[in-house]
């Protein structure tokens, strides 16, 4: 009769062990009883990059990478992108259910009225050089923001926690907008409480002398869709960073700053910037085959915006973004790089190298083109990823704090260095 357990025989000792299976998973600590002798520490698993290790139980985001499925709290990403707004989706991620009409009204109002930042934060921003990368400024500003709210360290007080969540989501667009204005040397544009969340962000980015900034509704909608698509993606690099930093019980601003730093890397949130650089470097359709050959030869060149650790069929976000891109180009005019992107995608998807390795366009392949068409400088792309991902990070952070299984994160190592040796005086080395 089948039982929910795994029988392991250690051929070093001939001993057999029974390990319980729950949710198709064994507990790594159950392997510790597998020992050669009493002095043995016990069996560990070696899993660099966490390729096959579940570090938490989570009810927030479901991904089936083989089938190209992405759901937030059970709702397919396609339906959310079509019918929801980013703020509604953020509530869904944080609370587990879609808000009622009243809840949504209060939530939207609360976020809108928390968009102002303390004036002193402007001095922090002013101290950066004009060419500072906006992601570096964002990381520093989020960290600095936390110093204005010392009560934020009371992470087990639900009311305090919720207030910081509201502040972080609200102020992300202000910090991001102000960071851009600092880069281009323009006066900061303050939030306009009559605008929606994405429209308000565009207002803080681009308002100049108009009394009332009114962004094109098609662009506002496209930005909102992009925010929805980027809001969460289960245990990716930055979310794991959020959980690991948060597991020390530090305040959420510090954890979000750490998560932002992880997102900054070119293999994560920095990839859409790299896509534009790559398309620009390719320059024209004729140069695509030579570029593909370079990628295949592994000459240190990757097809940026392709491949994903979990999606091995297609990235559902890429499909939605490709559609949204055409909506944006109707307003902004066609991007000259789009033609190259479409052709590059066509050639790569028919090439055995990419087919065999299950490499498909990911969320970043087309998002950069939209951002570029909306006049965001390339350096701002990872910031545009970070703005909505804050809601996912915070939802995951709350889940972690309420999970009795969680403790401070502390992986093990296989020690490969020298053991005890005597210190050598400098003259003897
Ligand atoms: N171009 C060319 N070859 C690739 C690419 C690519 N973009 N991605 C993976 N490969 C190859 C890789 O060289 C390896 O080949 P081989 O088996 O011959 O050694 C094979 O495919 C498997 O790749 P991997 O590096 O083991 O896959 P991974 O799961 O560790 O990496 C990835 C995933 C996203 C880091 C990687 O695909 C990549 O670097 N892509 C380009 C950067 C990018 O677009 N990142 C955005 C990810 S989506 C946004 C997000 O969620 O963060």
């Amino acid at each position: 009769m089948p039982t929910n357990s795994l029988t392991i025989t250690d051929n070093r000792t001939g001993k057999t062990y029974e390990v319980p299976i729950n949710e198709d998973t064994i507990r790594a600590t159950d392997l510790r009883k597998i020992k050669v002798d009493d002095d043995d520490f016990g069996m560990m698993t070696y899993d660099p990059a966490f390729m096959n290790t579940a570090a938490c139980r989570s009810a927030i985001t479901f991904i089936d990478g083989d089938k190209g499925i992405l759901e937030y709290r059970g709702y397919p990403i396609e339906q959310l992108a079509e019918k929801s707004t980013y703020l509604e989706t953020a509530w869904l991620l944080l609370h587990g259910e879609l808000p009622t009409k009243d809840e949504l009204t209060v939530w939207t109002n609360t976020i809108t009225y928390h968009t102002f930042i303390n004036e002193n934060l402007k001095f922090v921003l002013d101290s950066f050089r004009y060419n500072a990368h906006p992601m570096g400024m964002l990381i520093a500003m989020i960290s600095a923001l936390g110093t204005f709210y010392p009560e934020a360290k009371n992470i087990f007080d639900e009311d305090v926690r919720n207030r910081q969540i509201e502040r972080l989501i609200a102020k992300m667009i202000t910090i991001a907008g102000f960071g851009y204005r600092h880069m281009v040397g323009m006066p900061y544009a303050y939030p306009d409480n009559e605008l929606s969340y994405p429209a308000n962000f565009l207002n803080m980015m681009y308002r100049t002398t108009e009394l009332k900034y009114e962004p094109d509704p098609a662009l506002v909608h496209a930005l909102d869709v992009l925010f929805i698509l980027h809001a969460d993606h289960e245990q990716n690099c930055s979310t794991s960073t959020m959980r690991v930093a948060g597991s020390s019980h530090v305040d959420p601003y510090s954890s979000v700053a750490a998560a932002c730093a992880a997102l900054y890397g070119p293999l994560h949130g920095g990839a859409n910037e790299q896509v534009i650089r790559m398309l620009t470097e390719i320059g024209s359709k004729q140069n695509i085959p030579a570029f593909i050959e370079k990628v295949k030869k592994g000459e240190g060149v990757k097809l940026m915006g392709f491949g994903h650790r979990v999606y091995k069929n297609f990235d559902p976000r890429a499909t939605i973004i490709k559609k949204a891109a055409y909506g944006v180009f109707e307003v902004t005019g066609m991007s000259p790089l789009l033609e190259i992107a479409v052709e590059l995608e066509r050639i790569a998807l028919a090439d055995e190298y990419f087919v065999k390795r299950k490499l498909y366009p990911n969320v970043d392949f087309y998002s950069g083109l939209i951002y570029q068409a909306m006049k965001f400088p390339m350096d701002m792309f990872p910031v545009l990823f970070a703005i909505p991902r804050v809601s996912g990070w915070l939802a995951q952070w709350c889940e972690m704090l309420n999970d009795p299984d969680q403790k401070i994160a502390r992986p093990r190592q296989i020690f490969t260095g020298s053991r005890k040796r005597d210190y050598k005086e400098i003259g003897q080395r």
Side-chain angles (χ1 to χ4, degrees):
M1 205 177 83
T3 53
N4 259 354
S5 70
L6 187 72
T7 304
I8 300 173
T9 302
D10 185 347
N11 293 323
R12 297 172 303 174
T13 59
K15 281 193 199 158
T16 295
Y17 302 84
E18 199 80 6
V19 178
I21 299 176
N22 284 307
E23 297 168 292
D24 294 330
T25 308
I26 59 163
R27 286 197 173 239
T29 46
D30 283 346
L31 300 178
R32 290 274 290 280
K33 62 186 174 193
I34 304 177
K35 293 181 176 193
V36 177
D37 53 43
D38 286 346
D39 290 340
D40 188 353
F41 176 77
M43 181 75 77
M44 295 192 300
T45 53
Y46 178 54
D47 190 13
F50 309 111
M51 299 284 286
N52 195 36
T53 293
C56 64
R57 300 176 77 249
S58 181
I60 300 172
T61 291
F62 174 81
I63 300 174
D64 183 329
D66 290 327
K67 298 198 182 109
I69 295 173
L70 169 60
E71 294 165 0
Y72 295 160
R73 302 283 190 183
Y75 293 98
I77 194 67
E78 292 80 2
Q79 288 187 29
L80 293 170
E82 190 190 331
K83 298 184 176 160
S84 187
T85 60
Y86 165 63
L87 282 189
E88 184 183 63
T89 299
W91 171 282
L92 171 70
L93 288 168
L94 287 156
H95 297 272
E97 298 296 334
L98 286 167
T100 61
K101 204 171 170 214
D102 287 350
E103 282 168 340
L104 184 60
T105 307
V106 173
W107 171 243
T108 307
N109 220 38
T110 306
I111 297 298
T112 307
Y113 282 86
H114 274 95
T115 45
F116 274 73
I117 56 174
N118 189 297
E119 286 288 291
N120 285 349
L121 273 164
K122 291 197 315 198
F123 299 120
V124 179
L125 205 47
D126 285 344
S127 64
F128 284 98
R129 272 190 89 194
Y130 68 95
N131 60 353
H133 195 287
M135 204 57 183
M137 292 195 273
L138 182 72
I139 294 164
M141 288 290 284
I142 291 170
S143 192
L145 181 66
T147 65
F148 288 82
Y149 308 110
E151 76 276 18
K153 67 176 186 302
N154 300 328
I155 55 169
F156 290 107
D157 180 325
E158 201 180 340
D159 290 339
V160 172
R161 211 162 59 207
N162 286 338
R163 179 52 57 92
Q164 313 318 314
I165 290 172
E166 290 156 8
R167 284 178 173 144
L168 271 159
I169 293 177
K171 295 179 202 307
M172 277 302 282
I173 49 172
T174 315
I175 293 174
F178 280 24
Y180 169 74
R181 307 288 285 208
H182 174 76
M183 267 169 79
V184 293
M186 283 178 63
Y188 301 122
Y190 281 80
D192 177 344
N193 289 348
E194 285 174 9
L195 294 174
S196 69
Y197 186 85
N200 204 358
F201 174 50
L202 291 175
N203 158 63
M204 288 186 268
M205 287 282 301
Y206 299 128
R207 189 174 76 215
T208 50
T209 53
E210 39 305 48
L211 288 178
K212 178 97 194 146
Y213 183 78
E214 282 167 0
D216 189 298
L219 301 187
V220 173
H221 175 69
L223 193 57
D224 212 24
V225 169
L226 283 158
F227 283 174
I228 292 171
L229 299 183
H230 285 89
D232 195 51
H233 211 234
E234 52 119 309
Q235 308 312 316
N236 54 81
C237 177
S238 56
T239 303
S240 300
T241 304
M242 178 83 195
R243 280 180 175 262
V244 169
S247 78
S248 75
H249 293 175
V250 71
D251 68 90
Y253 299 91
S254 303
S255 295
V256 167
C260 257
L263 185 72
Y264 189 6
L267 298 186
H268 193 7
N272 49 13
E273 179 179 342
Q274 300 303 325
V275 171
I276 299 295
R277 293 194 194 284
M278 173 188 75
L279 295 173
T280 310
E281 192 191 310
I282 294 173
S284 82
K285 282 206 290 189
Q286 295 90 286
N287 299 334
I288 293 175
F291 180 78
I292 294 268
E293 280 316 302
K294 242 168 64 180
V295 172
K296 283 161 60 177
K297 279 192 196 138
E299 291 172 0
V301 188
K302 272 188 173 178
L303 186 44
M304 297 311 287
F306 259 66
H308 202 277
R309 174 63 57 78
V310 291
Y311 294 120
K312 300 298 175 193
N313 181 330
F314 66 96
D315 181 340
R317 301 169 299 174
T319 316
I320 299 166
I321 286 186
K322 193 174 174 183
K323 240 200 256 161
Y326 286 97
V328 168
F329 296 144
E330 269 177 33
V331 178
T332 61
M334 198 50 88
S335 159
L337 296 182
L338 180 70
E339 219 191 357
I340 302 172
V342 171
E343 183 65 0
L344 187 58
E345 181 188 4
R346 191 189 65 75
I347 294 178
L349 291 182
D351 191 298
E352 207 212 321
Y353 175 96
F354 298 93
V355 175
K356 212 172 91 197
R357 289 169 177 77
K358 300 191 172 171
L359 301 171
Y360 296 87
N362 59 46
V363 67
D364 290 319
F365 194 66
Y366 285 103
S367 62
L369 288 174
I370 299 187
Y371 295 146
Q372 200 184 41
M374 290 170 79
K375 306 253 181 299
F376 289 105
M378 259 189 284
D379 283 355
M380 282 292 288
F381 293 1
V383 175
L384 292 159
F385 193 154
I387 290 172
R389 185 54 64 87
V390 161
S391 59
W393 289 332
L394 291 166
Q396 302 270 352
W397 173 71
C398 289
E399 189 177 63
M400 180 206 58
L401 292 178
N402 288 319
D403 180 351
D405 277 355
Q406 293 296 334
K407 286 169 177 278
I408 186 166
R410 193 359 178 138
R412 293 275 171 189
Q413 64 170 3
I414 300 171
F415 181 68
T416 61
S418 311
R419 288 300 316 279
K420 186 173 177 296
R421 344 189 230 175
D422 287 327
Y423 181 80
K424 260 192 201 156
E425 296 304 331
I426 195 146
Q428 293 165 2
R429 291 175 210 160

